[in-house]
Amino acid sequence: MKAYFLSDIHIQEPESSRAQLFEAFLSSLLHEEFSDLFLLGDIFDLWIDEHSYFVRKYSRIISVLRELQQKGVKIHYFEGNHDLYLERFWQDEMGVAVYGGPATFRFDSLKVRVEHGDQMDPEDRGYRFLRWLLRTPALRWLAHHLPEFIVVAIGEKSSQKSRHYTTEVKTKTEEDIRQKIRLHAVRCLKKDRFDLLIAGHVHFREDFTIEYEGQTTRVINLGTWLKEPTAFIVTPERQYFVEWA
Ligand SMILES: [Mn+2]
């Protein structure tokens, strides 16, 4: 058992250097022995439903992911706030396991909680409302049935706003983000115990341990490829960051 965790790559254009870096990274994984690839959301700066616009735009990335699947790698995709309604294409067509919220996995005795991280801030009422709204049947229906060019236009506008919000507005201080990550971990531990928490979304790479009622839990935030391309590797024996440049 060996898993790679990636998030917040925010690929905007298939020809961009970040997209090419991601493709090269995935291609390099074709030569690795591992079992699972976890995409923790905001991989694409915009992906909505199964619209052929996105499937065509990111066909090269999709084809490397298919190659990985053919090698026997299981791919997990957690919806972010930039990649939404992933069931139709990613699950039904690609056979990727899609998650709309947090999930827990076991690597032998190691229990790992995995999530995108967009529910980390309970004070962010505006976003919590938006998250709820986007997941209502009515919005899902619109995202599927509106003409593709309208979905893309609305999506790109919102995506740009959201990225600005995450990187400029919400980023008060590093200590503020760290505190939010910590408080979130404690809130989660009150409900369920686990050895490792892995999330993204806040665009801030973090790695620390907390003690909660006698148990040590390691908390990882994957940061973003907008700053540095990294992946986190989990095996039952060892959990560590790798940098990709
Ligand atoms: Mn996000």
Side-chain angles (χ1 to χ4, degrees):
M1 279 169 114
K2 181 181 183 184
Y4 279 80
F5 289 81
L6 304 166
S7 85
D8 295 86
I9 302 175
H10 286 277
I11 296 167
Q12 282 168 279
E13 289 302 328
E15 305 308 329
S16 69
S17 58
R18 221 164 34 249
Q20 285 172 13
L21 204 59
F22 183 51
E23 264 177 68
F25 178 77
L26 291 176
S27 301
S28 79
L29 293 185
L30 290 167
H31 311 289
E32 294 283 325
E33 285 300 319
F34 71 108
S35 55
D36 298 82
L37 174 64
F38 284 85
L39 304 172
L40 295 201
D42 294 358
I43 301 302
F44 302 99
D45 203 57
L46 184 67
W47 185 296
I48 299 169
D49 209 310
E50 58 168 354
H51 293 289
S52 58
Y53 170 84
F54 303 107
V55 179
R56 272 199 312 271
K57 188 171 178 181
Y58 298 120
S59 60
R60 284 205 310 273
I61 288 170
I62 289 163
S63 92
V64 188
L65 289 172
R66 280 195 202 274
E67 278 184 73
L68 285 167
Q69 287 177 311
Q70 279 154 17
K71 272 193 48 165
V73 173
K74 183 166 169 61
I75 302 177
H76 310 257
Y77 199 156
F78 284 67
E79 290 190 335
N81 46 310
H82 290 251
D83 27 20
L84 279 170
Y85 316 126
L86 302 181
E87 292 93 346
R88 279 196 189 90
F89 177 75
W90 288 93
Q91 192 161 280
D92 301 347
E93 228 171 283
M94 287 280 288
V96 164
V98 166
Y99 308 84
T104 308
F105 300 86
R106 280 196 177 274
F107 294 80
D108 287 345
S109 62
L110 189 80
K111 191 173 166 189
V112 187
R113 179 187 159 108
V114 181
E115 61 190 299
H116 175 57
D118 55 323
Q119 291 161 294
M120 212 178 277
D121 186 356
E123 288 152 35
D124 195 352
R125 298 244 162 83
Y127 176 69
R128 287 168 84 83
F129 171 73
L130 179 66
R131 190 180 198 280
W132 169 81
L133 182 70
L134 286 170
R135 280 160 176 78
T136 56
L139 258 285
R140 277 179 193 277
W141 189 90
L142 283 174
H144 187 59
H145 289 96
L146 280 177
E148 188 172 88
F149 76 96
I150 296 180
V151 173
V152 172
I154 296 173
E156 278 178 351
K157 197 89 203 127
S158 326
S159 171
Q160 194 188 333
K161 280 222 174 91
S162 163
R163 201 171 353 95
H164 176 76
Y165 186 66
T166 308
T167 51
E168 311 290 332
V169 183
K170 252 168 68 182
T171 312
K172 288 161 194 150
T173 63
E174 293 195 349
E175 201 36 57
D176 189 53
I177 303 172
R178 245 187 222 121
Q179 186 64 10
K180 281 202 194 322
I181 297 174
R182 240 165 259 269
L183 288 172
H184 174 67
V186 172
R187 267 195 308 272
C188 297
L189 283 166
K190 279 182 184 157
K191 288 183 230 153
D192 187 24
R193 301 303 171 80
F194 42 87
D195 305 296
L196 178 61
L197 168 64
I198 308 177
H201 179 67
V202 290
H203 295 184
F204 186 76
R205 185 169 145 177
E206 183 65 299
D207 180 358
F208 62 88
T209 56
I210 47 174
E211 296 290 331
Y212 185 77
E213 293 185 348
Q215 192 191 334
T216 306
T217 295
R218 188 168 173 196
V219 180
I220 296 295
N221 199 285
L222 296 170
T224 174
W225 283 40
L226 292 165
K227 292 179 191 158
E228 50 186 350
T230 53
F232 191 71
I233 297 178
V234 173
T235 73
E237 297 77 33
R238 228 183 124 214
Q239 302 82 43
Y240 53 102
F241 272 108
V242 283
E243 316 224 339
W244 178 259

